[in-house]
Amino acid sequence: QVHLVESGGGLVQAGGSLRLSCVASGRPFSNYAMGWFRQAPGKEREFVAAISRSGGSTGYADSVKGRFTISRANAKNTVYLQMNSLKPEDTAIYYCAADETPYRSSYYAGDYEYWGQGTQVTVSS
């Protein structure tokens, strides 16, 4: 089992940047592919980005491609989400998640077994 704690959310103006972090504890971090998801008020949780166990493979939702970057530091048990050129529609609670199934970095929330508590990101216009 792994415990996930996100940080780095906050209030930012449109066009600004934030970097989210998610620190894992428990089983070895490199055993998990990691993903970021978000949920806006009244909307379904949606995929944002995913990264493989080694960090060699990443994937993004079309809505954030070219603006957001997912990365990980296995030695620090941490996954990051660098968010640039933020838009008001990026406002949501952002969650990191861990998937223990090997050989994939999924876009599907149901594939992730462990979730953090979330961090709020608010982008003002």
Side-chain angles (χ1 to χ4, degrees):
Q1 189 164 345
V2 65
H3 182 60
L4 304 172
V5 179
E6 303 97 333
S7 62
L11 173 65
V12 63
Q13 288 189 330
S17 298
L18 283 174
R19 187 175 82 155
L20 305 184
S21 299
C22 172
V23 178
S25 59
R27 293 180 61 193
F29 184 61
S30 59
N31 285 358
Y32 300 91
M34 299 298 295
W36 286 97
F37 292 78
R38 65 187 182 186
Q39 188 166 18
K43 294 189 176 181
E44 297 285 322
R45 188 170 297 191
E46 65 173 359
F47 169 76
V48 175
I51 189 166
S52 62
R53 293 179 171 195
S54 67
S57 176
T58 58
Y60 298 91
D62 287 343
S63 59
V64 306
K65 204 171 291 184
R67 299 188 299 122
F68 291 11
T69 303
I70 188 171
S71 61
R72 66 190 295 162
N74 285 349
K76 295 183 179 180
N77 295 339
T78 303
V79 62
Y80 304 97
L81 186 68
Q82 178 66 44
M83 306 186 294
N84 298 329
S85 302
L86 282 160
K87 304 175 181 180
E89 51 263 44
D90 294 318
T91 295
I93 299 174
Y94 283 71
Y95 300 89
C96 71
D99 175 11
E100 61 188 358
T101 300
Y103 309 120
R104 72 180 181 194
S105 48
S106 175
Y107 291 26
Y108 175 52
D111 286 338
Y112 290 81
E113 292 86 3
Y114 306 104
W115 292 81
Q117 83 289 347
T119 186
Q120 176 71 48
V121 171
T122 303
V123 184
S124 63
S125 57

